[in-house]
Amino acid sequence: MKKILILGAGLSSSSLIKYLLEQSNEYNWKIRVGDMSLETATKKIENHENGEAVKFDVFNKQQRDEEIENTDIVISMLPARFHHLVAEKCVESGKHMITASYVSDEVQALHDEAVRKELLLLNEIGVDPGIDHMSAMKIIDEIKVKGGELISFKSSTGGLVAPEFDNNPWNYKFTWNPRNVVVAGQSVAQYIDHGKYKFVPYNQLFTRTEKITVLDVGEFEMYPNRDSLSYRETYGLKDIPTILRGTLRRPGYCAGWNIFVQLGATDDTYSIKHSENLTYREFINSFLPYNISDTVERKLCDFLEIELESETMSRLKWLGIFDESKIGIPNATPAQILQKLLEEKWALGAEDKDMIAMQHQFEYILHGKKKQITSSLVVKGKNQIHTAMSITVGLPVAIATKLFLTGIIKQKGVIVPTMKDVYEPVLKELEEYGIVFVEEETYLD
Amino acid sequence: MKKILILGAGLSSSSLIKYLLEQSNEYNWKIRVGDMSLETATKKIENHENGEAVKFDVFNKQQRDEEIENTDIVISMLPARFHHLVAEKCVESGKHMITASYVSDEVQALHDEAVRKELLLLNEIGVDPGIDHMSAMKIIDEIKVKGGELISFKSSTGGLVAPEFDNNPWNYKFTWNPRNVVVAGQSVAQYIDHGKYKFVPYNQLFTRTEKITVLDVGEFEMYPNRDSLSYRETYGLKDIPTILRGTLRRPGYCAGWNIFVQLGATDDTYSIKHSENLTYREFINSFLPYNISDTVERKLCDFLEIELESETMSRLKWLGIFDESKIGIPNATPAQILQKLLEEKWALGAEDKDMIAMQHQFEYILHGKKKQITSSLVVKGKNQIHTAMSITVGLPVAIATKLFLTGIIKQKGVIVPTMKDVYEPVLKELEEYGIVFVEEETYLD
């Protein structure tokens, strides 16, 4: 009997826990789920005979140490900043660990000791990062094997509402942490385009978009993500002249969101005193010059050079930013105020389902000819528990856990899933769950 | 005999040291000047019989303590972040202190003890902060005494090149720390206008300008400074509906500078790898989208919606930002790269003189009538040592020191010069040195 400890039983753990419990009899696993809320952990277990729920507090060192000592492998679905606490104890106690989060410097520092103790610390095996790594590396490796020269790699992912439930003018609803959406992009985006380094400041970010079509779910626009340059090392593409990673939104979203950026309404660095007494209209007006004769709407249009009758203005009006209702939260930052408004308007309805869309675009030269491969994925949520986000984060983690416990994945140390012997079996099993990339190849010349 | 210890003998101490030495025989003062560079300190003493130079290291606690114990009053002209080290020892040893810098929280915390020990810790008595406080408070108090109701207060200051030496298309040269100019405004500006709070993000700052004429030195534009709201407390103007502080530049400067802001070329938060090998042209191009057919100039104009033949483009071209010369400094931030270029182009020539321009605009209601007072100051530098900046920072510090040592200023504790018994005698003596505000009053209705 193998003991698996899952830390964190939030939304992103639903599909993960379900998968492991379903296979627990076949593989003789005991699944122990720890969460701050015992209720949340208990719910996810669904009274399964091999499941066990426990109230878990990551800051309680004694409990943390005991739980880790008493298991064989830890799956940490805690907020990313806590992983290193778990990872350090895992390495100390000779336990393996799997996470869906980016490798932090603290976790990376454990690599040598993990290798020495023959421990696996597998990270970035959810979705963005995770499925994107694996599906991209599959094609990158295939191009290399064929003898092709990769000259461009663009990759983008979006978590959105499924088209069937897409009924607001932004074509967007929150399917994940709203705060991350509000403050997204507030550090420079870096990429390389035809050999030229490109740095995109926040105030340009939502205008530097590219149009993309993904399978049958339609049109998107992609804005650049933070640091695309570091992926050259991750993917072994040191000299590639073009590499760009981005986030997908529906057309028009970025132009609308850019208004908030230009106004300063996404700023999270200062608090507005007595914001509870302001109306949303006054909030927006506070970013516009004083003018006794013009309306807030008029001033906003003049300042941003848009038309009162434009689609962008319709989107803004629909959000209620010109309404006289009170904000109600005290001493909030602009970003917090905006988030509160958006959480009301962009909430997923009780029957709504979400969607993950992803597309890689490769350009390469083979025998003197320029070819393009696009590899696209669309995953829709099953319900409000097994959302597309929960499925695409949790299933690769769960599958990798099984593949490791059954001896198929043999890697050791602190790794991300860019090796063929990791990504190949994981991608293969993901297909059984409907997570299937559609590849299209064309000549470009 | 009174002993005065001056810490820091840089440019801003020139006029201060000169004043105190000149009066040292009359008042029986010994002036000891400490600086990291003994040469700098020695130069400023000019072999005066009452002057003494010493190599001083603020981080050397023993030296710091000994120097402070052996004096009667300390004038700290060190970088602002070091004042508290000096202030704490002053209060401990029962010494007075005078600085031209903003009161930090650490210095403020010494107030009660300073009052108990009957010590003066006078701060913000240079220029902006300093002369601006005193000249504004004089008029604010006069309006109050008359029974007027102040409804608007705008105040702005600029350090610029004197008009006689103003010969570049930006009408600007560095007369002070270049770095502060390059990163100016990178946190939200806050003010209140007709009772409406206004928050100006960085990307709007250099477009939110007002035109101003100062005496016979002509036209300026003013952009808002950081936190104007806090001046309501400093000046006792709790309920004033309009208060705005700003920085003065010549017309056209802000539109030109805004290009760098919009590009992201003033960002100081990340380094560009191997920036030494880039040209300035490549640097500018890195902020613009890739486009195979357009020049960098064309792309910049399109992106920022300006004309190739515009004055703004002439200003940019004159700076050499489209030149193919190498940047030469490794792993620099955009702000550092821009600063290097500007330091070559905006350097004061050997014979150039600088200028400080300041203007307060007050609106108030008296007996039902709306009146406006403007109070304006222009100070030009005498030479490259006694610059306008050095004179306006150093003289009020020096005068306040004399007035305190001679018993005319009687305040104790941590203060700024907003009290009449401080500002009145200081302003009066400043007039003898040509620092004279010109007041104009008109009816507005």
Side-chain angles (χ1 to χ4, degrees):
Chain A
M1 156 141 324
K2 287 280 183 190
K3 288 187 279 186
I4 302 170
L5 174 66
I6 299 174
L7 299 178
L11 186 58
S12 58
S13 302
S14 309
S15 304
L16 160 68
I17 295 170
K18 182 163 182 278
Y19 174 102
L20 292 174
L21 285 171
E22 278 173 2
Q23 310 212 8
S24 60
N25 280 324
E26 182 179 349
Y27 293 101
N28 200 17
W29 294 330
K30 190 96 188 160
I31 318 288
R32 190 167 163 89
V33 178
D35 194 275
M36 277 198 311
S37 154
L38 180 61
E39 194 193 339
T40 303
T42 307
K43 234 186 210 160
K44 293 283 160 71
I45 295 299
E46 288 181 321
N47 293 315
H48 196 287
E49 59 205 359
N50 296 325
E52 216 172 47
V54 58
K55 185 174 161 59
F56 178 81
D57 173 8
V58 71
F59 296 115
N60 181 337
K61 185 177 182 318
Q62 195 192 334
Q63 184 190 25
R64 204 170 70 217
D65 288 356
E66 281 176 15
E67 289 291 343
I68 294 171
E69 276 159 16
N70 288 320
T71 193
D72 294 299
I73 184 165
V74 181
I75 298 174
S76 178
M77 302 298 282
L78 298 169
R81 64 188 180 283
F82 301 137
H83 289 326
H84 73 102
L85 296 172
V86 175
E88 282 155 14
K89 180 63 187 173
C90 282
V91 172
E92 186 192 314
S93 316
K95 312 296 178 177
H96 310 282
M97 184 177 86
I98 298 187
T99 82
S101 307
Y102 286 101
V103 180
S104 65
D105 290 345
E106 291 109 320
V107 171
Q108 187 60 53
L110 300 167
H111 177 71
D112 288 347
E113 199 182 342
V115 169
R116 208 158 41 238
K117 293 188 164 178
E118 300 198 329
L119 300 174
L120 172 68
L121 274 73
L122 172 58
N123 308 273
E124 305 186 18
I125 187 151
V127 65
D128 195 4
I131 291 179
D132 53 335
H133 286 336
M134 297 189 284
S135 52
M137 280 310 298
K138 173 178 169 286
I139 294 176
I140 290 167
D141 284 345
E142 284 168 3
I143 291 170
K144 280 189 184 165
V145 165
K146 279 195 281 198
E149 182 201 355
L150 197 56
I151 55 171
S152 174
F153 172 47
K154 296 182 179 182
S155 174
S156 49
T157 305
L160 300 125
V161 60
E164 299 82 351
F165 307 94
D166 181 348
N167 55 5
N168 77 40
W170 290 78
N171 306 113
Y172 185 79
K173 299 183 186 184
F174 286 127
T175 62
W176 204 241
N177 188 343
R179 182 179 157 77
N180 290 353
V181 175
V182 174
V183 301
Q186 298 194 354
S187 63
V188 71
Q190 311 188 29
Y191 63 95
I192 187 164
D193 197 348
H194 293 78
K196 309 281 184 195
Y197 284 99
K198 296 295 170 189
F199 305 104
V200 193
Y202 187 48
N203 65 307
Q204 281 193 46
L205 191 65
F206 293 93
T207 61
R208 192 73 71 90
T209 56
E210 294 189 10
K211 292 214 176 304
I212 283 180
T213 305
V214 181
L215 302 177
D216 62 346
V217 292
E219 302 280 322
F220 296 87
E221 53 192 22
M222 175 240 271
Y223 69 84
N225 272 354
R226 222 173 152 112
D227 182 13
S228 298
L229 299 176
S230 67
Y231 285 81
R232 293 178 299 180
E233 199 187 327
T234 312
Y235 293 171
L237 301 172
K238 196 171 150 271
D239 295 315
I240 192 164
T242 298
I243 189 165
L244 172 62
R245 289 176 52 97
T247 296
L248 294 178
R249 292 289 181 261
R250 291 295 190 177
Y253 176 99
C254 290
W257 189 257
N258 188 44
I259 304 294
F260 293 127
V261 174
Q262 298 305 321
L263 285 174
T266 61
D267 196 324
D268 201 39
T269 64
Y270 68 96
S271 298
I272 297 179
K273 274 186 196 137
H274 306 302
S275 53
E276 66 275 23
N277 297 324
L278 286 180
T279 65
Y280 287 106
R281 189 177 184 82
E282 287 168 332
F283 171 65
I284 294 301
N285 191 30
S286 73
F287 302 113
L288 294 164
Y290 177 80
N291 175 327
I292 199 165
S293 55
D294 285 344
T295 63
V296 178
E297 289 86 345
R298 182 75 263 162
K299 287 195 293 185
L300 185 139
C301 286
D302 286 351
F303 164 55
L304 294 155
E305 294 177 355
I306 57 174
E307 296 295 321
L308 264 174
E309 299 307 314
S310 61
E311 283 187 25
T312 293
M313 270 303 272
S314 307
R315 289 191 180 97
L316 295 172
K317 284 180 192 162
W318 179 86
L319 280 178
I321 66 165
F322 300 111
D323 291 358
E324 301 275 10
S325 55
K326 294 260 186 202
I327 290 167
I329 44 173
N331 302 320
T333 66
Q336 288 166 341
I337 293 169
L338 185 58
Q339 183 180 333
K340 179 166 187 280
L341 180 69
L342 295 174
E343 280 181 341
E344 292 163 16
K345 303 290 176 170
W346 286 352
L348 274 184
E351 301 302 320
D352 286 353
K353 291 171 186 168
D354 71 328
M355 172 176 77
I356 295 279
M358 185 183 292
Q359 185 170 85
H360 307 300
Q361 298 172 344
F362 303 90
E363 288 178 22
Y364 69 102
I365 294 170
L366 185 65
H367 310 313
K369 298 262 184 199
K370 209 162 154 191
K371 302 186 87 174
Q372 184 185 47
I373 296 176
T374 61
S375 174
S376 311
L377 172 72
V378 172
V379 178
K380 293 181 185 172
K382 290 206 171 68
N383 52 47
Q384 299 248 326
I385 295 173
H386 298 285
T387 63
M389 192 67 96
S390 168
I391 294 167
T392 51
V393 172
L395 280 188
V397 172
I399 292 168
T401 304
K402 180 181 78 177
L403 293 171
F404 175 71
L405 290 176
T406 53
I408 292 166
I409 291 178
K410 296 184 170 59
Q411 296 280 347
K412 297 289 146 57
V414 176
I415 64 163
V416 303
T418 50
M419 301 89 158
K420 193 174 180 183
D421 57 340
V422 178
Y423 70 68
E424 199 170 51
V426 176
L427 287 173
K428 190 156 166 269
E429 185 168 339
L430 280 172
E431 292 195 352
E432 296 172 25
Y433 289 85
I435 300 177
V436 183
F437 279 82
V438 178
E439 293 182 20
E440 295 162 294
E441 181 154 18
T442 50
Y443 282 100
L444 277 179
D445 287 337
Chain B
M1 157 139 328
K2 287 280 182 189
K3 289 187 276 184
I4 302 171
L5 174 66
I6 299 173
L7 300 178
L11 186 58
S12 58
S13 301
S14 309
S15 304
L16 160 68
I17 294 170
K18 183 164 182 277
Y19 174 102
L20 292 174
L21 285 171
E22 279 174 0
Q23 309 213 7
S24 60
N25 279 325
E26 183 179 349
Y27 293 101
N28 201 17
W29 293 331
K30 191 95 188 161
I31 318 288
R32 189 167 164 90
V33 178
D35 195 276
M36 278 198 310
S37 155
L38 180 60
E39 194 194 339
T40 302
T42 306
K43 231 185 211 164
K44 292 284 160 71
I45 294 299
E46 289 182 322
N47 293 315
H48 197 287
E49 59 205 359
N50 296 325
E52 216 172 46
V54 58
K55 186 174 162 57
F56 177 80
D57 173 8
V58 70
F59 296 114
N60 180 337
K61 185 176 183 319
Q62 195 193 335
Q63 185 189 25
R64 205 170 70 216
D65 288 355
E66 281 176 14
E67 289 291 344
I68 294 171
E69 276 159 15
N70 288 320
T71 193
D72 295 299
I73 184 166
V74 181
I75 297 173
S76 178
M77 302 298 281
L78 299 168
R81 63 189 181 281
F82 301 137
H83 289 325
H84 73 101
L85 296 173
V86 175
E88 282 155 13
K89 180 64 188 172
C90 281
V91 172
E92 187 193 314
S93 316
K95 311 295 178 177
H96 310 282
M97 184 177 87
I98 298 187
T99 83
S101 307
Y102 286 101
V103 179
S104 65
D105 291 344
E106 290 110 319
V107 171
Q108 187 60 55
L110 300 167
H111 178 72
D112 289 347
E113 199 183 341
V115 169
R116 208 158 43 237
K117 292 187 165 179
E118 300 198 329
L119 299 174
L120 172 67
L121 274 73
L122 173 57
N123 308 272
E124 305 186 18
I125 188 151
V127 64
D128 195 4
I131 291 179
D132 53 335
H133 286 335
M134 296 188 284
S135 51
M137 279 311 298
K138 173 178 168 286
I139 294 175
I140 291 167
D141 284 345
E142 285 168 0
I143 291 170
K144 279 189 185 165
V145 164
K146 278 196 280 196
E149 183 201 355
L150 197 57
I151 56 171
S152 174
F153 172 47
K154 297 182 179 181
S155 174
S156 49
T157 305
L160 300 126
V161 60
E164 300 82 351
F165 307 93
D166 181 347
N167 55 6
N168 76 41
W170 290 79
N171 307 112
Y172 185 78
K173 298 183 186 184
F174 286 128
T175 62
W176 204 240
N177 187 342
R179 182 179 157 77
N180 290 352
V181 175
V182 174
V183 301
Q186 297 193 357
S187 63
V188 71
Q190 312 188 28
Y191 62 95
I192 186 165
D193 197 348
H194 293 77
K196 309 281 185 197
Y197 284 99
K198 296 296 170 189
F199 305 103
V200 193
Y202 187 47
N203 66 307
Q204 281 194 45
L205 192 65
F206 293 93
T207 61
R208 191 73 71 90
T209 57
E210 294 189 11
K211 293 214 175 302
I212 282 181
T213 305
V214 181
L215 302 177
D216 61 347
V217 292
E219 301 280 324
F220 297 87
E221 53 193 22
M222 175 240 271
Y223 69 84
N225 272 352
R226 222 173 153 114
D227 182 13
S228 298
L229 299 177
S230 68
Y231 285 82
R232 293 178 298 181
E233 198 187 326
T234 312
Y235 293 171
L237 301 172
K238 195 169 151 274
D239 295 315
I240 193 164
T242 297
I243 188 165
L244 173 61
R245 289 176 53 96
T247 296
L248 294 178
R249 293 289 182 258
R250 291 295 190 178
Y253 176 99
C254 290
W257 190 256
N258 188 44
I259 303 295
F260 294 126
V261 174
Q262 299 305 320
L263 285 174
T266 61
D267 196 324
D268 201 39
T269 63
Y270 68 96
S271 298
I272 297 179
K273 273 186 196 139
H274 306 303
S275 53
E276 67 274 23
N277 297 325
L278 286 180
T279 65
Y280 286 106
R281 188 177 185 82
E282 287 168 332
F283 170 65
I284 294 301
N285 191 31
S286 73
F287 302 114
L288 294 164
Y290 177 80
N291 175 327
I292 199 165
S293 54
D294 286 344
T295 62
V296 178
E297 289 86 345
R298 182 74 264 163
K299 287 195 294 184
L300 184 139
C301 287
D302 287 352
F303 164 56
L304 293 155
E305 296 178 353
I306 57 174
E307 296 296 320
L308 265 174
E309 300 306 315
S310 61
E311 283 187 24
T312 293
M313 270 303 272
S314 307
R315 289 191 179 97
L316 295 172
K317 284 180 191 162
W318 180 87
L319 280 178
I321 66 165
F322 301 111
D323 290 359
E324 301 275 10
S325 56
K326 294 261 187 203
I327 289 167
I329 44 173
N331 303 320
T333 66
Q336 289 165 340
I337 293 168
L338 185 58
Q339 183 181 333
K340 180 167 185 279
L341 181 68
L342 295 174
E343 280 180 342
E344 293 162 16
K345 304 289 176 170
W346 285 353
L348 272 184
E351 301 301 320
D352 287 353
K353 290 171 186 168
D354 71 329
M355 172 176 77
I356 294 279
M358 185 183 292
Q359 185 170 85
H360 307 299
Q361 298 172 342
F362 303 89
E363 288 178 22
Y364 70 103
I365 295 171
L366 184 66
H367 310 312
K369 298 262 184 197
K370 210 162 155 191
K371 302 185 88 175
Q372 183 185 49
I373 297 177
T374 62
S375 174
S376 311
L377 172 72
V378 172
V379 178
K380 293 180 185 173
K382 290 207 170 69
N383 52 47
Q384 298 248 327
I385 295 172
H386 298 285
T387 63
M389 192 67 95
S390 169
I391 294 167
T392 51
V393 172
L395 280 189
V397 172
I399 292 168
T401 304
K402 180 180 78 178
L403 293 172
F404 175 71
L405 290 176
T406 54
I408 292 165
I409 291 177
K410 297 184 168 61
Q411 296 280 347
K412 297 290 146 56
V414 176
I415 64 163
V416 303
T418 50
M419 301 89 157
K420 192 173 180 184
D421 57 339
V422 178
Y423 70 68
E424 199 170 51
V426 176
L427 287 174
K428 191 157 165 266
E429 186 168 338
L430 280 172
E431 292 196 353
E432 295 171 24
Y433 290 84
I435 300 177
V436 183
F437 279 83
V438 178
E439 293 182 19
E440 294 162 294
E441 182 154 18
T442 50
Y443 283 99
L444 277 179
D445 288 335

